[in-house]
Amino acid sequence: MTATTTAPAARPRALTFGNMWLSAALIAVIVLYPMFFGKAMNFGVSTLIFAGLAMSWNILGGWAGQTSLGHAALLGIGAYTMTLLAIPERVPAIFGGPVAPWWGALIAMVLAALIAAVWGGLTFRLRGSYFTLSSIAVALVIRLIAINSEWTGGSEGLFMPDLPRFLGLDLFDRKAEYILAAAFVVLTLGITHAIRRSRLGYALQAVREDEDGARALGIDPTRMKVIAFMISAALTALGGALYGIYLQAFEPHTLLELPISVQIALMAIIGGRGTIQGPAIGAILLAVFGEIFRNVFANANLLIYGVLILVVTLFAPNGVMGLFQRGGRKLGTAR
Amino acid sequence: MDPAAATALIQTIAQGLLTGGLYALIGTGLSLIFGVMRVINFAHGDFLAIGMFITLALFRAFNLDPYFSVLVAAPVGFALGYVIQRVILARLGDRLAEGSMLATLGLGLIISNTLLLTFGAQPQNINVAYATKTVQLGGVQLSIPLIVAGIGTLAAIGGLNFLLYRTELGRAIRATAQNPLGAELQGVKTATIQAIVFGLGVAFAAIAGVLLMPLLYAFPTVGENYTTKAFIVTVLGGLGNLPGAVVGGLVLGTIESLGAFYISNNYRDAYGLVAFLLVLLLRPEGLFGRTVKRV
């Protein structure tokens, strides 16, 4: 085995050029999409939601380097919390009546962040694969609770009630959902940009590259990872609330299963974890491939995910963005 | 405790131990792979699904008794694992730790979706006369397929122990696990050994699939649940600890069985998960492992 003798691998790094421009291009695509593909709004909305989810995952998975395979639980917390608070018969008595979905989403974000604080506080003491394994276990426990509890609608799930208008927008109108999903993507994009140049961002990257080294510099690795997880969880819950509205009715299978967690993580990884726009690019790429192959493989459309992740792992370890970066370096910008 | 309650308790524990034996078999494969290569195989349950579907296909095509399928499933599993290690995992080099997780995740998706395309999503089972038969042992009823599975597990794990501790290949495997570079310097072809180990691990999963087939319905994503079970078993026993995996399997089976009987069957899968999380948090080295360096 040569593993022990060679130098440590180059880790994914943020692009050294064109970051802002790539974000601007991404936003331009989002703005132009409805003009050209107005008929395919379903595809647009779900792709944008997953792009935002992948970028939210990336704050923990990319910047802090903690591979979570339990993000479906946070997605579910967002959708379930928002919906349960909006259904008159199910909303807990202390709220004294149904809660508007935007307040519901906000409560879901706070709840998800608190859960992430406890979850991360306990499991980030473990390193490497242990966190990944524990994230699967936590998510599966949350899934079992949702399936077996009466108040979550059990395995039959929940139907969305009539929702009040949001800033004059009908929330069940695909155009309105598109605008909200786009806002979600822009928000996560903005937060990722902000993190990159912040103390937190540098600390996270230091922890990712060398935990002991970071500790020696006075950074508390567990605390940094927990903060990243809380931000990631809150944004994922927001995406979950949006996804719930998009679906109008959902059950544990559509929101809480392991493949959903895997899908979110793979989008970010295929696009390029630890980069700013990579996860969104990965999400768009996989959504397009998924759509193309849905007709060929029917419900076996995750096959293409499997093939892509294998190809990326073997030949483009830093994802699509890594390929761009390598292309950039070949033009003469040495590392 | 009145006699009826005592019998119920013994029945529950006996059933748990037999199911646990199967978990031990699955977990042993995963633990062996981790122990030698530090690779967590996320496709482990999908290899089990392959074993199930080989059994199903052979039964459909030749009316072959499910247990004889092991003669096909085990070598196929071994060959598959050998090739995967050689062609995919060996290429990851120094990115093995992170890369293997993603690669095996991808492999799992490829396997489950290929099974879906080939066999359809409908759960399918095998109708053999003994599938629902039970034997009576002092008031305790035990299903025959579970007993056969228990014996099969004992045989497989016994065979692995013989291989590891009584043969030259076993010495090479243990040497590779302890110190790959040192083993290489002593003339051990560690690349071949690692491929053999991955093959063995996959073969174990496939054998477990064969043993499960008369008991369960096969469907393409059946493996997902067993990947989780295998993780639980290995963490309970300590990652890479083979005797630990056996005990971990038995513990998991018993916890599930007792929980399902005395608390609620709906949460059957949750008891193991909670035990898993507790062990992960309190004793990451496993219930029976030596103390490892804590973070």
Side-chain angles (χ1 to χ4, degrees), chain B residues 188-207:
Chain B
V188 176
K189 298 252 179 302
T190 50
T192 311
I193 296 295
Q194 287 175 342
I196 290 174
V197 165
F198 205 83
L200 281 174
V202 173
F204 268 53
I207 294 171

Side-chain angles (χ1 to χ4, degrees), chain A residues 203-223:
Chain A
L204 286 176
Q205 291 173 68
V207 170
R208 183 185 69 196
E209 299 301 323
D210 180 358
E211 193 161 329
D212 294 317
R215 199 190 306 269
L217 291 174
I219 296 168
D220 179 350
T222 306
R223 192 163 156 261

Side-chain angles (χ1 to χ4, degrees), chain A residues 133 136, chain B residues 30 40-42 227-235 276:
Chain A
L133 292 179
I136 297 176
Chain B
L30 190 76
I40 297 186
N41 177 18
F42 277 84
T227 305
T228 321
K229 302 268 189 232
F231 288 161
I232 297 176
V233 167
T234 37
V235 168
F276 168 83

Side-chain angles (χ1 to χ4, degrees), chain A residues 52-53 55-61 63-64 71 74 108-110 112-117 124 184 187-188 190-192 194-196 198 200-201 204 223-239:
Chain A
L53 290 172
M55 286 198 290
S56 312
W57 181 92
N58 187 44
I59 293 171
L60 178 70
W63 295 98
H71 262 52
L74 301 162
M109 289 174 77
V110 174
L114 290 177
I115 289 174
F124 283 138
F184 173 52
L187 175 70
T188 45
I191 287 177
T192 315
I195 287 178
R196 186 182 170 221
S198 70
L200 174 67
L204 286 176
R223 192 163 156 261
M224 288 300 146
K225 288 185 220 168
V226 168
I227 293 171
F229 195 11
M230 288 174 74
I231 299 172
S232 176
L235 289 172
T236 305
L238 177 62

Side-chain angles (χ1 to χ4, degrees), chain B residues 172-247:
Chain B
I173 291 175
R174 284 181 291 136
T176 308
Q178 277 170 16
N179 185 345
L181 191 60
E184 187 78 52
L185 290 174
Q186 296 300 313
V188 176
K189 298 252 179 302
T190 50
T192 311
I193 296 295
Q194 287 175 342
I196 290 174
V197 165
F198 205 83
L200 281 174
V202 173
F204 268 53
I207 294 171
V210 174
L211 293 173
L212 270 172
M213 193 58 227
L215 288 159
L216 285 185
Y217 283 83
F219 52 95
T221 49
V222 65
E224 211 178 275
N225 194 19
Y226 286 97
T227 305
T228 321
K229 302 268 189 232
F231 288 161
I232 297 176
V233 167
T234 37
V235 168
L236 287 183
L239 281 167
N241 179 339
L242 291 187
V246 175
V247 182

